[in-house]
């Protein structure tokens, strides 16, 4: 199953921080940013989450919900969210259901060893639930701004 720009994103339900269960279809009527990061409380992921946190009011202004996703357990996600003061929910995707839906599990190399891990990626879904934009192999610096601009442009056009 491959996600295609302009096509509906299949519905998913996953456990999230704050004793929440996130179901994509419940967010219809809002734009949704789903960003995938390799591991909670690591430097790049902390920076990326902080960049989204610091722009939350701007995302809210254009009717956009931000969701972070990694394979960390719910307790690790809760700790990460609390420690960094994230003002959006983090999804715990231990069984990789959401990761596989968005095809972000890739073969990676660390210290010469290959392993399967999350490729830092972000997806923008419109208020009707269609995939509008995707960023793969994301570099953290400036990324949240680029996603915000895309969300603003999408909102202005709707």
């Amino acid at each position: 199953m491959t996600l295609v720009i302009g096509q509906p994103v299949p519905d998913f339900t996953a456990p999230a921080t704050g004793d929440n269960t996130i179901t994509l279809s419940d967010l219809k009527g809002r734009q949704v940013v789903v960003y995938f990061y390799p591991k909670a409380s690591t430097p790049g992921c902390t920076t990326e989450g902080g960049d989204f946190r610091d722009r939350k009011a701007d995302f809210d202004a254009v009717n956009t919900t931000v969701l972070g996703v990694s394979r960390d357990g719910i307790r690790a996600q809760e700790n990460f969210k609390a420690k960094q003061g994230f003002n959006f929910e983090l999804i715990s995707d231990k069984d990789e259901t959401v990761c596989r839906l968005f095809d972000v599990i890739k073969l990676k190399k660390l210290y010469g060893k290959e392993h399967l891990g999350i490729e830092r990626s972000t997806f923008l879904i419109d208020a009707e639930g269609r995939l509008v934009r995707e960023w793969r192999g994301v570099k953290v610096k400036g990324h949240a701004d680029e996603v915000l601009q895309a969300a603003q442009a999408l909102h202005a056009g709707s």
Side-chain angles (χ1 to χ4, degrees), residues 37-51:
Y37 57 95
K39 189 155 180 52
S41 302
T42 55
C45 301
T46 299
T47 300
E48 184 177 28
D51 288 347

Side-chain angles (χ1 to χ4, degrees), residues 36-94:
F36 292 84
Y37 57 95
K39 189 155 180 52
S41 302
T42 55
C45 301
T46 299
T47 300
E48 184 177 28
D51 288 347
F52 280 111
R53 174 198 63 214
D54 296 346
R55 288 156 184 78
K56 183 171 189 307
D58 295 322
F59 280 106
D60 286 346
V62 291
N63 194 35
T64 303
T65 297
V66 174
L67 299 170
V69 184
S70 77
R71 297 184 301 182
D72 295 289
I74 202 71
R75 180 177 286 143
Q77 296 289 50
E78 290 285 8
N79 291 342
F80 187 35
K81 180 183 174 187
K83 187 173 180 198
Q84 300 305 326
F86 292 158
N87 45 15
F88 54 87
E89 302 308 332
L90 300 178
I91 290 175
S92 169
D93 192 32
K94 281 181 89 85

